[in-house]
């Protein structure tokens, strides 16, 4: 049947802004990045750091945009109290792809989310220095502190086999596009003549 409407005063919209998707700067339009899922962004970029043959593995890379250091400056901060959690200092940090993510979750490798590439503090750098991404820590030691041997590294990044295999799967599937659900077509409403808006015409009266 036909539809009728109740007119109400116009008010402010409560619409929620939706994050946009964009192409990976290295992969192009074949790899679409969803910025509503920051952990997937970290995984994708980290897969480049580990397996991309076109990247110079001796360079320290930003885990959000892959630009070489020191183009991006990422700082971490600790929450209040002894058990305060770590997080990214959004005000001090600078990166074209700066996005909020849960630090503790991102730093933990699991079967469903193998990546553990997060910014971490280098104990050799002066206090207050920008953080270094975990997967680039060895490159940082070599380039920034001129340490040639891993025996001289204050800490070493040794990825478990499960993390390496999981990241390799992400790298191999980076061009896989999941099928999108088809939108349900909603039929247009038929408005009855009795409920259509009518504007009365003013009759001009001659004097």
């Amino acid at each position: 049947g036909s539809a009728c409407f109740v007119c109400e005063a116009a008010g402010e919209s409560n619409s929620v802004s939706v994050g946009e998707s964009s192409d990976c700067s290295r992969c192009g339009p074949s790899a679409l990045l969803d910025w509503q899922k920051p952990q997937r962004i970290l995984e994708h970029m980290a897969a480049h750091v580990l397996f991309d043959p076109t990247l110079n593995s001796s360079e320290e890379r930003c885990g959000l945009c892959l630009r070489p250091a020191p183009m991006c400056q990422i700082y971490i901060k600790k929450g209040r109290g002894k058990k305060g959690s770590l997080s990214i200092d959004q005000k001090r940090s600078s990166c074209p792809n700066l996005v909020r993510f849960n630090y503790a979750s991102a730093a933990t490798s699991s079967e469903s989310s193998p990546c553990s590439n997060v910014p971490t503090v280098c104990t050799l750098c002066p206090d207050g220095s920008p953080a270094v991404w975990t997967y680039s820590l060895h490159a940082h030691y070599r380039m920034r502190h001129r340490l040639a041997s891993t025996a001289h590294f204050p800490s070493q990044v040794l990825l478990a086999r499960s993390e390496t295999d999981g990241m390799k799967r992400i790298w191999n599937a980076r061009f896989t596009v999941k099928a999108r659900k088809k939108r349900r077509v909603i039929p247009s409403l038929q408005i009855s003549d009795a409920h259509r808006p009518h504007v009365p015409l003013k009759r001009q009266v001659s004097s």
Side-chain angles (χ1 to χ4, degrees):
S2 300
C4 61
F5 300 89
V6 176
C7 294
E8 296 179 347
E12 293 184 358
S13 173
N14 291 324
S15 61
V16 179
S17 58
V18 180
E20 296 181 353
S21 299
S22 62
D23 302 338
C24 170
S25 60
R26 305 288 303 186
C27 299
S30 299
L32 197 63
L33 304 178
D34 186 354
W35 293 99
Q36 287 186 305
K37 300 177 180 179
Q39 186 60 30
R40 302 290 84 84
I41 304 296
L42 293 174
E43 290 175 353
H44 183 91
M45 298 302 179
H48 275 286
V49 174
L50 294 177
F51 303 111
D52 191 344
T54 66
L55 287 180
N56 186 347
S57 60
S58 66
E59 291 183 335
E60 180 184 344
R61 297 279 172 175
C62 173
L64 290 173
C65 70
L66 298 178
R67 296 196 302 176
M71 296 184 70
C72 294
Q73 304 282 304
I74 304 297
Y75 296 88
I76 56 179
K77 62 180 181 179
K78 185 178 179 296
R80 295 180 180 178
K82 294 182 179 180
K83 297 183 179 180
S85 58
L86 296 177
S87 63
I88 302 300
D89 191 332
Q90 298 289 328
K91 292 183 179 180
R92 296 184 64 199
S93 300
S94 60
C95 173
N97 289 350
L98 189 62
V99 63
R100 296 180 183 275
F101 60 88
N102 185 293
Y103 188 95
S105 298
T108 304
S109 177
S110 64
E111 183 177 355
S112 60
S113 183
C115 178
S116 64
N117 190 35
V118 293
T120 185
V121 174
C122 172
T123 57
L124 297 178
C125 288
D127 292 341
S129 298
V132 181
W133 290 84
T134 306
Y135 287 1
S136 290
L137 194 56
H138 287 188
H140 173 80
Y141 288 149
R142 291 189 177 97
M143 293 192 66
R144 179 68 176 80
H145 301 292
R146 304 300 180 183
L147 300 178
S149 173
T150 57
H152 298 147
F153 292 176
S155 61
Q156 294 191 26
V157 179
L158 301 175
L159 302 184
R161 179 65 180 272
S162 58
E163 181 169 352
T164 303
D165 291 345
M167 292 304 298
K168 186 66 174 181
R169 287 194 298 270
I170 291 174
W171 172 251
N172 292 334
R174 65 192 183 281
F175 295 129
T176 303
V177 180
K178 294 182 178 180
R180 297 180 179 179
K181 295 181 179 180
K182 294 183 178 180
R183 293 184 179 180
R184 185 167 59 92
V185 179
I186 302 175
S188 58
L189 295 175
Q190 300 295 326
I191 305 174
S192 63
D193 291 337
H195 293 93
R196 291 181 182 274
H198 296 281
V199 179
L201 297 176
K202 293 184 179 179
R203 180 179 299 176
Q204 185 176 2
V205 181
S206 57
S207 54

